[in-house]
Amino acid sequence: MDRVIKDIAIFGAGGFGLEVAMLIEQINTKRRDWKIAGFFDDGATKGTCVNGYEVLGGVRELNEWSDPLHVAFALGIPKTKKAVLGKVENPNIKYPTLIHPSVMMGNSKYVTIGEGCIICAGTIITTNITIGNHVILNLCCTVGHESVIGDYSAFMPSCNISGEVNIGKANFWGTGAKIINRLTVGDEVTIGAGAVITTDIPAGVTAVGVPAKVIGL
């Protein structure tokens, strides 16, 4: 039986969008699943070319798209991603989860990953883990056993999540942030680059440093 190759576009033509295009290309070297249709981005000029792919328009053009289309949202700021997704009303659009071929993952029977996630090269996901919708795990992140990650959260390169950690929705963690085991982080938290979390973090705050301390709302 011939493999079905699906059309996919990337929302966001900035730096992370370029990396997501690369991720899709690398998936295709192992298993040809995708044909990249181009980029959508309200901040880019329609018809221009980015790394060989056309900018197809913005949210308006995406809502007018008449054929089935998978769209990867390459927007790193959780609130921005959630807001833009809320404007998409086209029933033809689906949100695939993209996992780089180099990702190491435990038995899929014990790992749950929602729709629209992007999991980048070098990431390790162990076992008994639940990851919500539209989560980004950037390059070389690790997620330990029995951890839970809420919708829209984004982790920049080399974040380390120890076992039995519960992370709320719409978190943003800077490069190299870490958390020890059996802690809880609330919704809409920003963690600074290189921070080490050693205590529970309440919702809606920013925490930085080693050990991480709350510096503001």
Side-chain angles (χ1 to χ4, degrees), residues 105-112 126-129:
M105 190 180 305
N107 189 330
S108 60
K109 181 179 178 180
Y110 304 113
V111 176
T112 301
T126 64
T127 188
N128 296 74
I129 288 164

PDB file of all heavy atoms in Angstrom, residues 105-112 126-129:
ATOM      1  N   MET A 105      12.143   7.765  23.734  1.00  0.00           N
ATOM      2  CA  MET A 105      10.893   7.742  24.482  1.00  0.00           C
ATOM      3  C   MET A 105      10.659   6.349  25.047  1.00  0.00           C
ATOM      4  O   MET A 105      10.942   5.349  24.385  1.00  0.00           O
ATOM      5  CB  MET A 105       9.729   8.145  23.576  1.00  0.00           C
ATOM      6  CG  MET A 105       8.417   8.385  24.319  1.00  0.00           C
ATOM      7  SD  MET A 105       7.083   8.871  23.211  1.00  0.00           S
ATOM      8  CE  MET A 105       7.796  10.289  22.383  1.00  0.00           C
ATOM      9  N   GLY A 106      10.124   6.286  26.271  1.00  0.00           N
ATOM     10  CA  GLY A 106       9.755   5.013  26.850  1.00  0.00           C
ATOM     11  C   GLY A 106       8.612   4.365  26.098  1.00  0.00           C
ATOM     12  O   GLY A 106       8.128   4.880  25.083  1.00  0.00           O
ATOM     13  N   ASN A 107       8.157   3.255  26.581  1.00  0.00           N
ATOM     14  CA  ASN A 107       7.048   2.532  25.977  1.00  0.00           C
ATOM     15  C   ASN A 107       5.863   3.471  25.765  1.00  0.00           C
ATOM     16  O   ASN A 107       5.361   4.080  26.716  1.00  0.00           O
ATOM     17  CB  ASN A 107       6.658   1.370  26.903  1.00  0.00           C
ATOM     18  CG  ASN A 107       5.660   0.423  26.263  1.00  0.00           C
ATOM     19  OD1 ASN A 107       4.850   0.820  25.430  1.00  0.00           O
ATOM     20  ND2 ASN A 107       5.723  -0.838  26.658  1.00  0.00           N
ATOM     21  N   SER A 108       5.419   3.597  24.512  1.00  0.00           N
ATOM     22  CA  SER A 108       4.349   4.543  24.189  1.00  0.00           C
ATOM     23  C   SER A 108       3.048   4.214  24.929  1.00  0.00           C
ATOM     24  O   SER A 108       2.169   5.072  25.065  1.00  0.00           O
ATOM     25  CB  SER A 108       4.098   4.558  22.680  1.00  0.00           C
ATOM     26  OG  SER A 108       3.725   3.274  22.215  1.00  0.00           O
ATOM     27  N   LYS A 109       2.922   2.987  25.417  1.00  0.00           N
ATOM     28  CA  LYS A 109       1.752   2.600  26.205  1.00  0.00           C
ATOM     29  C   LYS A 109       1.641   3.436  27.477  1.00  0.00           C
ATOM     30  O   LYS A 109       0.547   3.636  28.012  1.00  0.00           O
ATOM     31  CB  LYS A 109       1.866   1.110  26.554  1.00  0.00           C
ATOM     32  CG  LYS A 109       0.719   0.541  27.353  1.00  0.00           C
ATOM     33  CD  LYS A 109       0.941  -0.941  27.600  1.00  0.00           C
ATOM     34  CE  LYS A 109      -0.188  -1.545  28.446  1.00  0.00           C
ATOM     35  NZ  LYS A 109       0.038  -2.995  28.694  1.00  0.00           N
ATOM     36  N   TYR A 110       2.774   3.939  27.950  1.00  0.00           N
ATOM     37  CA  TYR A 110       2.813   4.664  29.220  1.00  0.00           C
ATOM     38  C   TYR A 110       3.173   6.135  29.055  1.00  0.00           C
ATOM     39  O   TYR A 110       3.529   6.801  30.024  1.00  0.00           O
ATOM     40  CB  TYR A 110       3.797   3.983  30.171  1.00  0.00           C
ATOM     41  CG  TYR A 110       3.487   2.521  30.390  1.00  0.00           C
ATOM     42  CD1 TYR A 110       4.350   1.538  29.925  1.00  0.00           C
ATOM     43  CD2 TYR A 110       2.324   2.133  31.046  1.00  0.00           C
ATOM     44  CE1 TYR A 110       4.063   0.187  30.113  1.00  0.00           C
ATOM     45  CE2 TYR A 110       2.027   0.786  31.236  1.00  0.00           C
ATOM     46  CZ  TYR A 110       2.894  -0.171  30.770  1.00  0.00           C
ATOM     47  OH  TYR A 110       2.605  -1.502  30.947  1.00  0.00           O
ATOM     48  N   VAL A 111       3.105   6.632  27.826  1.00  0.00           N
ATOM     49  CA  VAL A 111       3.363   8.051  27.555  1.00  0.00           C
ATOM     50  C   VAL A 111       2.188   8.596  26.745  1.00  0.00           C
ATOM     51  O   VAL A 111       1.852   8.054  25.694  1.00  0.00           O
ATOM     52  CB  VAL A 111       4.678   8.258  26.791  1.00  0.00           C
ATOM     53  CG1 VAL A 111       4.865   9.735  26.433  1.00  0.00           C
ATOM     54  CG2 VAL A 111       5.869   7.755  27.598  1.00  0.00           C
ATOM     55  N   THR A 112       1.573   9.666  27.237  1.00  0.00           N
ATOM     56  CA  THR A 112       0.456  10.304  26.544  1.00  0.00           C
ATOM     57  C   THR A 112       0.883  11.700  26.106  1.00  0.00           C
ATOM     58  O   THR A 112       1.341  12.496  26.928  1.00  0.00           O
ATOM     59  CB  THR A 112      -0.776  10.409  27.457  1.00  0.00           C
ATOM     60  OG1 THR A 112      -1.160   9.099  27.872  1.00  0.00           O
ATOM     61  CG2 THR A 112      -1.924  11.077  26.729  1.00  0.00           C
ATOM     62  N   THR A 126      10.770   9.672  29.454  1.00  0.00           N
ATOM     63  CA  THR A 126      10.908   8.328  30.011  1.00  0.00           C
ATOM     64  C   THR A 126       9.566   7.589  30.048  1.00  0.00           C
ATOM     65  O   THR A 126       9.100   7.115  29.025  1.00  0.00           O
ATOM     66  CB  THR A 126      11.612   8.361  31.374  1.00  0.00           C
ATOM     67  OG1 THR A 126      10.811   9.084  32.311  1.00  0.00           O
ATOM     68  CG2 THR A 126      12.987   9.000  31.261  1.00  0.00           C
ATOM     69  N   THR A 127       8.917   7.495  31.194  1.00  0.00           N
ATOM     70  CA  THR A 127       7.740   6.628  31.280  1.00  0.00           C
ATOM     71  C   THR A 127       6.686   7.206  32.211  1.00  0.00           C
ATOM     72  O   THR A 127       6.991   8.021  33.084  1.00  0.00           O
ATOM     73  CB  THR A 127       8.156   5.220  31.752  1.00  0.00           C
ATOM     74  OG1 THR A 127       7.034   4.337  31.656  1.00  0.00           O
ATOM     75  CG2 THR A 127       8.682   5.229  33.178  1.00  0.00           C
ATOM     76  N   ASN A 128       5.432   6.791  31.975  1.00  0.00           N
ATOM     77  CA  ASN A 128       4.290   7.225  32.777  1.00  0.00           C
ATOM     78  C   ASN A 128       4.200   8.752  32.834  1.00  0.00           C
ATOM     79  O   ASN A 128       4.087   9.364  33.890  1.00  0.00           O
ATOM     80  CB  ASN A 128       4.368   6.637  34.187  1.00  0.00           C
ATOM     81  CG  ASN A 128       4.279   5.124  34.174  1.00  0.00           C
ATOM     82  OD1 ASN A 128       5.246   4.457  33.799  1.00  0.00           O
ATOM     83  ND2 ASN A 128       3.144   4.584  34.555  1.00  0.00           N
ATOM     84  N   ILE A 129       4.223   9.341  31.640  1.00  0.00           N
ATOM     85  CA  ILE A 129       4.262  10.797  31.484  1.00  0.00           C
ATOM     86  C   ILE A 129       3.041  11.251  30.695  1.00  0.00           C
ATOM     87  O   ILE A 129       2.617  10.583  29.742  1.00  0.00           O
ATOM     88  CB  ILE A 129       5.564  11.217  30.770  1.00  0.00           C
ATOM     89  CG1 ILE A 129       6.763  11.033  31.719  1.00  0.00           C
ATOM     90  CG2 ILE A 129       5.503  12.648  30.251  1.00  0.00           C
ATOM     91  CD1 ILE A 129       8.089  11.041  31.043  1.00  0.00           C
TER      92      ILE A 129
END
